[in-house]
Amino acid sequence: MAGRKFLTISLLMLNLLSLLPLLTVSFSPDHPTDRRILVLLDDLALKSSHSIFFTSLQFRGFDLDFKLADDPSIAVKRYGQYLYDGLILFSPSTDRFGGSLDLEGVLDFVDSGHDLILAADVSASDLIRSVAAECGVDFDEDPSAMVIDHTGYSVSQIEGDHTLIAADDFVQSDVILGSTKIEAPVLFKGTGHSLNPGNSLALKVLSASSSAYAANPASKLSNPPSLTGTAVSLVSVVQARNNARIIISGSLDLFSNRLFRSAVQKVGSSYKYEKSGNEQFVTELSKWVFHERGHLKAVNLKHNKVEGTEEPSMYRINDDLEFSVEIFEWAGSSWVPYVADDVQVQFYMMSPYVLKTLSTNQKGLYHTSFKVPDAYGVFQFKVEYQRLGYTSLSLSKQIPVRPFRHNEYERFITTAFPYYGASFSMMAGFFIFSIVYLYNK
Amino acid sequence: MLIKDQTSEVDVHLGDADRIFRSIKALSQSDGRWRYSSNNPESSTYAAGIALETVAGLISLASSEIDHSLVATIKNDIMKLFDGVERYDDGACYFDEKFVDAHGHQDPLSASSSVVRGITAFATATEESLNLPGDKIMGLAKFFLGVEIPGSAKDLYHQIDALACLGNSRVSVPLILSLPATVLSVSRKDQLKVRVNTVLGSSAPPLSVKLMQIFSSGSKDASVIDQELKFDPDHAVHVLETLPKNIDVGKYIFSFEISLQDPEHKKRYITGGRTKVPIYITGLIEVNNAEIAVLDSDIGSIEMQKKLDLSGENDVALLANHLQKLRLSFQLTTPSGKAFKPHQAFLKLRHESGVEHIFVVGDSGKKFEIILDFLGLVEKFFYLSGKYDIQLTVGDFVMENSFLRSLGHVELDLPDAPEKAARPPPQLVDSYSRYGPKAEIIHIFRSPEKRPPRELSLAFLGFVLLPFIGFFAGLLYLRVNLKNLPRSTVPATFAFLFHLGIASVLLLYALFWFKLDLFTTLKALGILGIFLMFVGHRTLSHLASVSAKLKSA
């Protein structure tokens, strides 16, 4: 009896121990795609009305944890460790989050490198608007304003106020929106926002057309609205310097099953698309925001003299050197070589002395060779790579550069021949003189 | 304790049906809900639905044994349940769950549908009529119809099962009025069509639909119409042949009423009173008399005036300075001839650097006009002179031909900015240029110092060697001779070695210059120097003794 008990206990311990490695398979620098995502909803009916979006995420391997926004058991952090890798806020009208989450908590979550999808809507609460404002996106001051476009709306038999917009002004980026072009326009119904022109981290993914404006459809306009034209952004993304990615959308309906499945006909065009571009747009954007695409890492930064193979500790001016670096891109489950023709290296001391584009061997290895400048000091090899939609790469390696030693200069100079001639003729003259003077009578 | 018995055909004799009934009844709560079991103290609406279905099953199996007073108490419970129904703003009603059990939320869809199933089964089983409030049944029907796309197969089952129960049950059947199109175009002469069906789309009993009132949005008054719609049996729609006379383009709310022709049907069907439907009447708006002009500010005389054709693109070129005004005017008329006020009428001026200014074009009764007085706008324009593109956008919900037209450009000449004027806001940098690769930098090496040409150096070498040659010439001129060379062997050898030593030291110097370093040179020099000293001493002492002998002799 005791033996059996012992056996069962040991089996149990063994099982528990074998689970330990699984606990470490989550977000880590070697495996950048997020795994566990917290979804906060206003209303549980969103779980079924947006089910196509959620099931597509679960199908790609994400662990979604649905909670009501004012659920008191919400916690993203416990004992200093984050419990989730990503956050989806589909709760535009929530004034306060439940549990231990608040505006500071959401911003800390993003600051620590985690991703966020935020959907606002008409009459969004101040909490949601301030989260967006901290991320660099300014929603319209009037909360009841919707984006109206009288020349870009979607033709419909049952909706007469032109607030359901068929937008097709996408950002040109294969990383963010995928390599297949989105043919059908994307249906959008909600508020618009604008980006501060000085913000270099935010980007408009879907902009409104030039005749769009944000106003309350029921009221007359006496002053021009603050958001008009192509400055109105419908969906924006922000990529922070620590590579956290944020999507901010002015419409919750953009993600809903109803708009995924609707047919679209933009006013003024006679072609009716059977299915709107929403599903493709949202799927590609979610792949980008959860780091399944566009996440780069650079390893093996090497330099050496042209003749040698190991890294010297110091270079001399006018030396010829070779430089190489390997760049990989995360493709959802493994690292694949990244191929591009615009990676550049700088040889930098206070300002770049040499800036060269690296040539690639199409397998992720980038190399080049150049001559060390004739300024001496402590230089850095710098690779700073920032492209639209990709994570930013910033690597540097320090190397000193010394001037010529005394014996590395030119040995014999033609200009000095008169001086050589003077010395030697002096020596010869002395020899002849010593003979002649001693034996002359 | 929950027994689901679906076998209504089989004549099952349930002993103790009364006891089972009472035990189920014991689980009911005062607000009409039921508990799942005696162990679980929380109540659930979903459980209420299941309990009602079970009771209905019990009654159908063993109706004779059930006490009718208990049936009456069940009816009271149902009434209490309906008192707790929740409403959305648009009239839809649903039952909500108040607690979370271990399985997560039981969402309103499944809770409401289980209640509907329970009530329908109960009503069918007891064959008594339940006086349920008609508007709540209508609200429940609206709720189930409002679930547009169910999220899972389970949700779809709940929705369709509940609608089917509502559709053909002994509880009152709601009739739904729907319009396939609420946006009608006057220009295309669309007709207003109305459909009346039961919840799952089956046809309604004979009835007539009347358009009772028309409210125009924005104003409180309503015109009373009371016009009956014609029934088209082929398509099963009711059609309004012609719109009432004074309806122009705009946003309206039409109020319909269904009246059943058979009085018997009034008990079975719920019509829902007056149904209000928002309707948009759209049409093509004519734009006439569009013109743009530059006026002199004080006098008001016209400097330059151009007519515009707003159905196509225009490209006018105007010149203005800060003392003048710009005037744009046009007229808008609806298809029935009245003046029209669109929701959006913007004039946008865009500077070549990207700074934009937007103005709302106001209307003065008959026509739309905007006058831009540049004198007052100089500060707003940040004192930027140059080419401004003009764009006019006019649009409205009921305007089928909303347009955005570029009208041309105006060259504005504004005075220079004073020092304290505001700077124009920074413009959005094109993100594609921000992210592109930077220009390559190739280090320009310091060019080596300029050296004189080779020939010049060689020429100077020649000049330097000239004195040497001159020295030789001088020696010859002085008729030097080597008569004093010692004849005898020993002094001659020493003299020879002496001069050899001097030559070797000079050679050592030359070698040191070529490749030796100082250490080896000094070593060799030391050796040679000692040798040279010995040899030189012998030679020079011999020479000195020879000359002393000569002097003394």
Side-chain angles (χ1 to χ4, degrees):
Chain A
M1 189 60 185
R4 270 185 63 195
K5 249 190 170 177
F6 178 70
L7 200 65
T8 47
I9 290 173
S10 57
L11 275 174
L12 207 65
M13 292 292 285
L14 208 64
N15 281 332
L16 284 173
L17 282 170
S18 62
L19 281 175
L20 276 175
L22 282 175
L23 291 170
T24 56
V25 174
S26 60
F27 186 86
S28 65
D30 276 331
H31 194 268
T33 309
D34 305 342
R35 285 270 80 81
R36 297 160 300 172
I37 300 184
L38 174 65
V39 183
L40 293 183
L41 308 168
D42 258 345
D43 182 358
L44 280 177
L46 282 177
K47 218 169 138 176
S48 48
S49 69
H50 289 59
S51 63
I52 302 182
F53 174 59
F54 292 130
T55 43
S56 78
L57 285 180
Q58 283 165 332
F59 189 67
R60 298 209 307 263
F62 293 102
D63 243 337
L64 298 180
D65 192 3
F66 294 94
K67 284 203 156 81
L68 274 185
D70 48 9
D71 189 338
S73 69
I74 294 178
V76 286
K77 209 171 171 177
R78 189 183 292 154
Y79 309 126
Q81 277 221 327
Y82 282 103
L83 300 169
Y84 300 99
D85 305 319
L87 182 61
I88 296 183
L89 290 178
F90 275 0
S91 52
S93 56
T94 312
D95 282 315
R96 273 190 66 234
F97 293 122
S100 59
L101 188 63
D102 58 350
L103 177 63
E104 293 283 319
V106 173
L107 295 174
D108 278 339
F109 186 76
V110 173
D111 279 341
S112 64
H114 297 97
D115 307 315
L116 171 68
I117 299 184
L118 180 77
D121 212 337
V122 184
S123 308
S125 70
D126 279 337
L127 175 67
I128 299 289
R129 287 146 66 87
S130 42
V131 173
E134 293 288 339
C135 297
V137 159
D138 298 313
F139 276 99
D140 202 343
E141 278 158 11
D142 179 9
S144 60
M146 299 181 75
V147 180
I148 305 173
D149 189 349
H150 295 297
T151 56
Y153 61 94
S154 168
V155 172
S156 146
Q157 296 281 35
I158 46 173
E159 282 197 47
D161 56 352
H162 304 156
T163 52
L164 183 67
I165 302 177
D168 50 11
D169 192 359
F170 302 108
V171 70
Q172 298 295 324
S173 167
D174 278 353
V175 188
I176 300 181
L177 290 177
S179 45
T180 1
K181 183 166 155 21
I182 303 181
E183 300 284 345
V186 168
L187 289 171
F188 179 92
K189 183 171 181 165
T191 39
H193 53 267
S194 66
L195 302 174
N196 192 334
N199 189 344
S200 59
L201 302 171
L203 193 66
K204 280 194 293 190
V205 171
L206 185 64
S207 334
S209 73
S210 9
S211 59
Y213 61 103
N216 191 343
S219 63
K220 288 270 176 212
L221 291 171
S222 51
N223 296 320
S226 48
L227 287 178
T228 54
T230 45
V232 177
S233 169
L234 305 175
V235 179
S236 317
V237 296
V238 178
Q239 180 164 270
R241 285 186 232 272
N242 59 0
N243 296 330
R245 291 174 170 175
I246 307 171
I247 297 179
I248 299 188
S249 156
S251 160
L252 190 51
D253 287 337
L254 186 76
F255 300 92
S256 69
N257 292 1
R258 183 172 69 98
L259 290 189
F260 272 19
R261 296 260 181 266
S262 299
V264 182
Q265 183 180 11
K266 194 163 169 177
V267 69
S269 101
S270 53
Y271 186 73
K272 184 168 178 157
Y273 292 92
E274 284 302 317
K275 192 162 168 286
S276 68
N278 287 43
E279 187 165 1
Q280 184 184 357
F281 178 73
V282 165
T283 311
E284 297 294 335
L285 258 187
S286 65
K287 279 191 195 155
W288 181 83
V289 80
F290 291 131
H291 291 270
E292 281 178 55
R293 202 171 42 214
H295 190 100
L296 300 174
K297 84 169 173 183
V299 291
N300 278 348
L301 200 145
K302 285 199 290 233
H303 59 91
N304 56 278
K305 281 204 203 151
V306 172
E307 307 87 39
T309 46
E310 80 278 332
E311 269 184 27
S313 59
M314 190 186 265
Y315 281 114
R316 194 206 69 196
I317 61 178
N318 294 351
D319 254 348
D320 288 306
L321 59 77
E322 280 179 346
F323 174 81
S324 72
V325 69
E326 288 177 32
I327 303 184
F328 293 99
E329 184 181 355
W330 179 250
S333 53
S334 62
W335 293 99
V336 296
Y338 172 68
V339 177
D341 57 358
D342 56 359
V343 185
Q344 290 175 321
V345 66
Q346 288 179 20
F347 200 56
Y348 178 92
M349 173 170 74
M350 307 295 190
S351 73
Y353 280 74
V354 176
L355 199 154
K356 245 187 135 173
T357 307
L358 297 168
S359 48
T360 175
N361 70 345
Q362 307 295 332
K363 289 205 188 55
L365 178 72
Y366 294 85
H367 58 90
T368 187
S369 61
F370 57 89
K371 214 173 165 76
V372 177
D374 57 0
Y376 49 89
V378 177
F379 280 85
Q380 278 178 334
F381 285 105
K382 268 182 133 161
V383 174
E384 303 243 334
Y385 189 65
Q386 272 153 350
R387 295 290 172 266
L388 198 68
Y390 286 102
T391 54
S392 48
L393 288 177
S394 186
L395 304 146
S396 68
K397 208 163 196 183
Q398 228 177 38
I399 187 83
V401 170
R402 65 168 174 82
F404 282 128
R405 273 198 216 105
H406 71 284
N407 58 358
E408 288 173 341
Y409 288 99
E410 213 179 321
R411 190 68 181 88
F412 302 113
I413 307 177
T414 320
T415 322
F417 277 7
Y419 303 97
Y420 306 154
S423 314
F424 284 119
S425 70
M426 190 64 137
M427 289 204 281
F430 168 72
F431 181 66
I432 306 226
F433 177 73
S434 67
I435 297 177
V436 164
Y437 182 68
L438 282 177
Y439 305 120
N440 181 37
K441 202 146 187 205
Chain B
M1 294 267 288
L2 295 171
I3 311 162
K4 285 204 193 323
D5 37 355
Q6 312 290 329
T7 60
S8 43
E9 297 92 35
V10 177
D11 207 23
V12 174
H13 178 72
L14 268 180
D16 282 344
D18 200 37
R19 198 164 66 82
I20 297 174
F21 193 94
R22 280 183 202 279
S23 54
I24 291 178
K25 179 72 182 69
L27 287 171
S28 72
Q29 301 287 89
S30 58
D31 58 353
R33 298 172 186 212
W34 249 266
R35 288 175 292 158
Y36 274 116
S37 71
S38 44
N39 297 330
N40 196 348
E42 287 154 354
S43 61
S44 150
T45 321
Y46 190 75
I50 299 177
L52 287 170
E53 263 188 277
T54 322
V55 165
L58 262 180
I59 296 173
S60 64
L61 284 175
S63 49
S64 52
E65 300 187 14
I66 308 291
D67 192 358
H68 279 277
S69 63
L70 288 169
V71 173
T73 50
I74 295 282
K75 277 213 260 180
N76 281 338
D77 285 332
I78 295 178
M79 290 301 171
K80 276 185 265 177
L81 196 62
F82 264 84
D83 282 338
V85 78
E86 309 222 356
R87 286 192 111 96
Y88 278 129
D89 289 331
D90 58 354
C93 306
Y94 64 101
F95 292 98
D96 198 5
E97 289 288 14
K98 285 284 191 274
F99 81 105
V100 182
D101 66 351
H103 306 290
H105 282 272
Q106 200 72 275
D107 56 320
L109 183 61
S110 55
S112 314
S113 91
S114 95
V115 170
V116 167
R117 267 200 297 277
I119 301 170
T120 320
F122 187 75
T124 323
T126 56
E127 301 198 5
E128 287 176 27
S129 61
L130 297 163
N131 291 332
L132 293 166
D135 59 334
K136 293 205 176 140
I137 298 281
M138 194 60 146
L140 279 172
K142 278 199 194 145
F143 171 69
F144 288 117
L145 286 173
V147 177
E148 292 174 13
I149 299 189
S152 62
K154 205 162 149 208
D155 287 344
L156 183 66
Y157 160 70
H158 285 309
Q159 184 192 19
I160 294 192
D161 196 38
L163 285 175
C165 288
L166 284 173
N168 43 11
S169 73
R170 308 214 51 238
V171 183
S172 333
V173 177
L175 288 172
I176 307 292
L177 186 143
S178 60
L179 279 80
T182 53
V183 176
L184 305 167
S185 166
V186 162
S187 324
R188 283 198 307 261
K189 297 203 182 338
D190 288 341
Q191 285 181 326
L192 181 70
K193 296 190 176 117
V194 174
R195 258 205 193 108
V196 181
N197 295 330
T198 60
V199 286
L200 279 180
S202 43
S203 54
L207 47 79
S208 70
V209 178
K210 282 196 207 165
L211 172 63
M212 300 303 291
Q213 279 186 314
I214 296 184
F215 302 88
S216 66
S217 67
S219 62
K220 292 280 179 218
D221 60 305
S223 42
V224 179
I225 309 289
D226 203 357
Q227 186 174 351
E228 188 165 321
L229 278 77
K230 190 162 161 263
F231 182 64
D232 181 6
D234 300 327
H235 301 109
V237 286
H238 300 260
V239 179
L240 185 68
E241 309 247 87
T242 49
L243 286 172
K245 284 285 175 341
N246 51 352
I247 295 296
D248 200 359
V249 292
K251 211 159 102 172
Y252 299 98
I253 300 182
F254 282 21
S255 171
F256 295 97
E257 194 174 292
I258 307 174
S259 39
L260 291 158
Q261 286 163 357
D262 192 350
E264 267 298 309
H265 290 154
K266 286 219 175 84
K267 284 192 219 145
R268 281 200 63 206
Y269 291 94
I270 306 175
T271 57
R274 295 262 177 105
T275 317
K276 292 206 170 81
V277 181
I279 301 269
Y280 289 88
I281 311 265
T282 64
L284 288 167
I285 306 288
E286 268 182 52
V287 185
N288 304 320
N289 299 340
E291 58 179 25
I292 188 164
V294 174
L295 311 171
D296 253 336
S297 67
D298 293 332
I299 315 164
S301 68
I302 297 176
E303 280 263 339
M304 211 188 290
Q305 184 171 19
K306 295 258 169 71
K307 280 229 170 296
L308 297 169
D309 176 20
L310 286 175
S311 54
E313 296 292 334
N314 295 280
D315 197 12
V316 304
L318 300 169
L319 278 172
N321 62 29
H322 67 285
L323 296 169
Q324 291 171 328
K325 299 186 202 178
L326 182 76
R327 182 183 73 190
L328 170 73
S329 61
F330 51 91
Q331 270 179 329
L332 297 171
T333 42
T334 67
S336 50
K338 298 202 203 103
F340 179 70
K341 284 195 198 137
H343 192 245
Q344 173 195 29
F346 297 152
L347 183 70
K348 180 150 71 166
L349 267 86
R350 194 190 141 90
H351 188 241
E352 46 206 357
S353 69
V355 181
E356 291 182 346
H357 307 277
I358 301 184
F359 305 94
V360 173
V361 180
D363 73 318
S364 53
K366 279 284 166 191
K367 66 176 181 172
F368 277 82
E369 189 177 59
I370 179 170
I371 300 182
L372 293 178
D373 187 4
F374 292 124
L375 196 61
L377 289 172
V378 167
E379 254 198 62
K380 186 163 182 280
F381 279 23
F382 302 108
Y383 296 91
L384 285 171
S385 302
K387 189 167 153 192
Y388 281 82
D389 286 323
I390 310 174
Q391 234 181 30
L392 178 67
T393 315
V394 173
D396 192 83
F397 312 108
V398 299
M399 191 168 154
E400 277 173 24
N401 53 338
S402 311
F403 58 84
L404 165 79
R405 298 263 182 261
S406 145
L407 300 177
H409 65 269
V410 60
E411 285 276 347
L412 265 188
D413 186 19
L414 299 176
D416 293 325
E419 277 144 22
K420 275 186 282 189
R423 301 264 108 233
Q427 292 307 303
L428 197 61
V429 176
D430 185 19
S431 38
Y432 305 113
S433 66
R434 212 197 302 155
Y435 284 110
K438 298 199 214 61
E440 288 212 355
I441 301 175
I442 301 175
H443 182 80
I444 302 170
F445 288 85
R446 212 178 322 137
S447 49
E449 302 98 28
K450 274 193 63 157
R451 289 179 180 169
R454 204 158 169 267
E455 295 76 28
L456 196 67
S457 312
L458 291 174
F460 271 94
L461 181 65
F463 291 145
V464 157
L465 291 177
L466 276 180
F468 188 61
I469 299 169
F471 174 63
F472 260 119
L475 283 179
L476 286 173
Y477 180 65
L478 287 171
R479 281 194 296 267
V480 295
N481 49 41
L482 289 174
K483 286 204 192 116
N484 221 1
L485 216 60
R487 291 290 138 78
S488 45
T489 345
V490 169
T493 336
F494 277 124
F496 174 69
L497 284 178
F498 176 58
H499 290 292
L500 194 71
I502 291 180
S504 64
V505 169
L506 290 175
L507 210 65
L508 181 67
Y509 288 163
L511 214 62
F512 166 61
W513 183 72
F514 269 116
K515 59 157 72 177
L516 290 179
D517 64 65
L518 198 62
F519 299 110
T520 39
T521 316
L522 284 178
K523 261 194 286 194
L525 196 62
I527 298 167
L528 276 177
I530 293 172
F531 168 71
L532 196 62
M533 279 227 306
F534 175 67
V535 167
H537 173 71
R538 291 301 296 271
T539 312
L540 291 174
S541 58
H542 170 79
L543 277 175
S545 69
V546 164
S547 70
K549 273 190 209 149
L550 232 72
K551 278 203 184 132
S552 61

